[in-house]
Amino acid sequence: MQRVEREIARLIEEIGYGEVTRLFEMLQGGKRLRAKLILKIASSSQTAPLLGAIVELIHAASLLHDDVIDEATLRRGTPSVNATDGSKTAVMLGDILYSKAFSELVLFDREIAKAVSSSVTALSKGEMMDVKMSQTFNDDAQIYLDMLYLKTATLIEAAAYGAALLAGKDAQNHALYGKNLGLSFQIIDDILDITADEATLGKPAMNDFVEGKCTLPYIYLYHALNAPEQERLRALHAKVLDKEEALWIKKKMQEHKSIEKSFALAQKLSDEAMQVVKEDAGLIEILETMIKRSY
């Protein structure tokens, strides 16, 4: 990972603007899941660290735009760029990171470059779908999972696919692994938004629902409730919850095992991913760590 960090630092330095360097430092501290995945799959490739750095720049750019869209003031427990320097600056920084990543991506084989660039188009489409879906109460789990695939899993899928091509491994199997890793990772995030405390999350608990996002636990809960309770849940959608309202939702989720159902799907996706890379202990370890994480 030190080689990835050095590549990231080099790319940021090449931009040649101290303000970009200062702002990018505010984004540090992420899990670097995508870069770690690339290194695990293509450990022998000399260009794997650069591909990891490119994908991490793309991911950082998407988070900057996400925070502007969500009007989020915190990112991993620290003030977001849009909170400290304004939304315009955050959007422009995201654009710089995207364009720098693409300028480096052209150095790779056409198939790898196409996979990663296509995933960014899908990611952007997913972000747009997410915004549209937050305007109304969505009770369709498949629509939600389709959006998750585009917004979160496609970039991880492309990272795994590209790394497999670099290493001469089965690209399709690794793409499936990346897709399922991305989906299960986000479902665990959705669960933690409800079950973890604010200090652990670095943002208010149950913030997804307040922002209008009907994640899987809420969708599963909705279909388990009776008609009056469904109306109550709909009425609470996209509003700041008081203590009593939040407790009611959590109590009903416990009663109907909404969290357990969501976790079961994440586990199923994780198990499917393990099956296609069952000879690779490193990739299985990533899945096991992800499914057991508490933040």
Side-chain angles (χ1 to χ4, degrees):
M1 280 305 297
Q2 288 181 343
R3 291 173 63 195
V4 172
E5 296 298 340
R6 285 197 296 270
E7 289 286 12
I8 291 173
R10 177 180 67 81
L11 297 179
I12 296 300
E13 185 179 349
E14 284 180 0
I15 294 168
Y17 187 28
E19 189 68 359
V20 170
T21 303
R22 178 186 73 82
L23 292 169
F24 186 78
E25 287 175 355
M26 296 173 62
L27 306 177
Q28 303 290 49
K31 297 179 181 67
R32 299 280 195 248
L33 170 66
R34 293 147 191 83
K36 288 176 182 175
L37 181 58
I38 289 169
L39 293 182
K40 285 280 188 185
I41 296 170
S43 57
S44 61
S45 170
Q46 292 299 309
T47 54
L50 176 57
L51 184 60
I54 289 168
V55 172
E56 289 298 336
L57 286 192
I58 290 170
H59 178 56
S62 73
L63 295 182
L64 282 160
H65 289 179
D66 259 1
D67 285 346
V68 171
I69 292 165
D70 295 340
E71 298 180 351
T73 57
L74 292 175
R75 167 62 61 182
R76 303 187 186 104
T78 60
S80 59
V81 172
N82 51 295
T84 60
D85 292 74
S87 293
K88 290 180 181 179
T89 297
V91 169
M92 288 185 288
L93 178 61
D95 291 346
I96 289 170
L97 297 183
Y98 271 134
S99 57
K100 182 59 178 173
F102 279 120
S103 70
E104 295 293 319
L105 191 57
V106 298
L107 301 174
F108 285 84
D109 177 82
R110 185 176 183 274
E111 191 68 22
I112 295 172
K114 182 180 178 181
V116 175
S117 58
S118 296
S119 78
V120 178
T121 302
L123 185 157
S124 302
K125 178 182 171 184
E127 287 177 339
M128 185 175 287
M129 286 175 64
D130 192 23
V131 171
K132 185 70 175 175
M133 286 168 62
S134 68
Q135 295 170 2
T136 56
F137 187 97
N138 171 57
D139 61 5
D140 190 317
Q142 190 56 56
I143 289 174
Y144 179 70
L145 289 170
D146 289 345
M147 182 276 293
L148 274 197
Y149 167 65
L150 292 169
K151 184 180 175 183
T152 302
T154 48
L155 185 57
I156 300 175
E157 178 184 45
Y161 179 81
L165 289 176
L166 278 180
K169 296 179 179 178
D170 188 316
Q172 293 303 326
N173 275 353
H174 283 80
L176 176 60
Y177 170 92
K179 174 184 176 180
N180 281 22
L181 172 63
L183 286 170
S184 53
F185 184 92
Q186 188 57 54
I187 292 169
I188 297 296
D189 255 13
D190 293 347
I191 291 170
L192 292 174
D193 179 77
I194 298 163
T195 61
D197 57 40
E198 185 170 342
T200 302
L201 290 169
K203 63 179 181 178
M206 301 182 79
N207 194 56
D208 287 344
F209 198 60
V210 172
E211 290 181 348
K213 297 174 183 177
C214 291
T215 59
L216 275 184
Y218 296 98
I219 294 171
Y220 288 154
L221 173 61
Y222 179 80
H223 289 289
L225 296 174
N226 61 38
E229 289 172 333
Q230 286 181 338
E231 286 306 309
R232 182 177 182 184
L233 186 62
R234 279 182 174 275
L236 296 176
H237 175 247
K239 69 181 287 286
V240 177
L241 303 172
D242 62 31
K243 188 175 180 181
E244 181 184 340
E245 291 165 340
L247 284 173
W248 178 78
I249 291 174
K250 286 188 175 183
K251 179 184 175 184
K252 288 297 176 180
M253 282 189 175
Q254 289 174 349
E255 183 181 327
H256 296 290
K257 300 190 181 301
S258 306
I259 298 296
E260 290 85 348
K261 289 175 184 176
S262 301
F263 184 82
L265 178 57
Q267 186 68 67
K268 177 176 178 289
L269 291 165
S270 178
D271 290 345
E272 287 175 359
M274 286 185 189
Q275 283 303 307
V276 296
V277 294
K278 54 188 175 185
E279 305 301 323
D280 193 323
L283 293 182
I284 290 174
E285 182 184 359
I286 289 176
L287 281 165
E288 290 176 339
T289 301
M290 177 278 303
I291 209 80
K292 295 173 184 174
R293 70 196 169 93
S294 59
Y295 64 94

